[in-house]
Amino acid sequence: MSKPLSLPFDPIARADELWQQRWGPVPSMGAITSIMRAHQILLAEVDAVVKPYGLTFARYEALVLLTFSKAGELPMSKIGERLMVHPTSVTNTVDRLVKSGLVDKRPNPNDGRGTLASITDKGREVVESATRDLMRMDFGLGAYDAEECAEIFAMLRPLRVAAQDFDEE
């Protein structure tokens, strides 16, 4: 699949102009359209980096989360909570990692109905290699310096707080 040719104009800026002519100024429309396009760009770039490891970015995030846990394992419910995804998505993600030999699943001895997911040695090797590759390409954000990345993080935080992703200190 070849990359489409660049447009000779910014289509989001043009849409914003047309929007203003039709409905008046609504800065949030241009902002959300830019955020959604940035999401598409970044997801495509990071997925391309982790694909050779048999991963998607979602599976990579689950592996990283397991490496951050003390014992290298977490209940499936905790994985969903920390990654902020639906239980069905966690099951699908972890099952794919199990098929790849990167994660094992077993009944949770502390919860008769729960399941523990644990990272395998192969999973640890894959996450280390994929992380090196992602860091090398600045997770797709190489157009920004460290200060600008911190600004982006700070700018998006109120949105995450408003969505009740976490309790603000």
Side-chain angles (χ1 to χ4, degrees):
M1 183 168 78
S2 62
K3 186 178 179 334
L5 296 174
S6 295
L7 293 173
F9 62 93
D10 180 346
I12 296 174
R14 182 68 181 130
D16 187 52
E17 290 168 17
L18 295 170
W19 187 281
Q20 286 185 50
Q21 290 170 16
R22 177 130 185 207
W23 290 296
V26 181
S28 55
M29 191 286 295
I32 190 166
T33 307
S34 292
I35 291 168
M36 298 301 234
R37 180 62 185 132
H39 175 262
Q40 292 171 334
I41 292 165
L42 293 170
L43 196 55
E45 287 186 17
V46 297
D47 273 348
V49 170
V50 297
K51 187 177 183 179
Y53 298 101
L55 299 174
T56 60
F57 193 65
R59 286 182 224 150
Y60 169 77
E61 286 180 304
L63 284 177
V64 168
L65 182 61
L66 289 171
T67 66
F68 287 165
S69 67
K70 287 181 187 128
E73 64 182 13
L74 287 170
M76 298 280 280
S77 58
K78 275 277 190 247
I79 294 171
E81 184 182 294
R82 301 271 168 80
L83 296 179
M84 296 172 275
V85 296
H86 191 273
T88 305
S89 296
V90 175
T91 300
N92 189 5
T93 296
V94 171
D95 285 351
R96 299 236 180 187
L97 291 168
V98 168
K99 280 182 188 166
S100 301
L102 306 177
V103 168
D104 287 324
K105 276 175 35 175
R106 66 183 173 90
N108 187 344
N110 302 321
D111 173 5
R113 296 176 313 188
T115 303
L116 285 176
S118 57
I119 191 164
T120 64
D121 289 341
K122 180 181 174 186
R124 288 183 189 281
E125 290 170 19
V126 165
V127 81
E128 288 297 324
S129 295
T131 298
R132 275 193 300 276
D133 291 349
L134 287 166
M135 288 172 60
R136 210 174 287 124
M137 56 85 77
D138 289 322
F139 288 87
L141 292 170
Y144 301 99
D145 64 23
E147 186 177 314
E148 290 167 322
C149 285
E151 287 175 27
I152 292 167
F153 179 84
M155 192 175 292
L156 294 175
R157 186 179 167 99
L159 179 69
R160 296 172 44 238
V161 169
Q164 299 178 338
D165 274 358
F166 57 95
D167 294 326
E168 193 170 26
E169 300 90 41

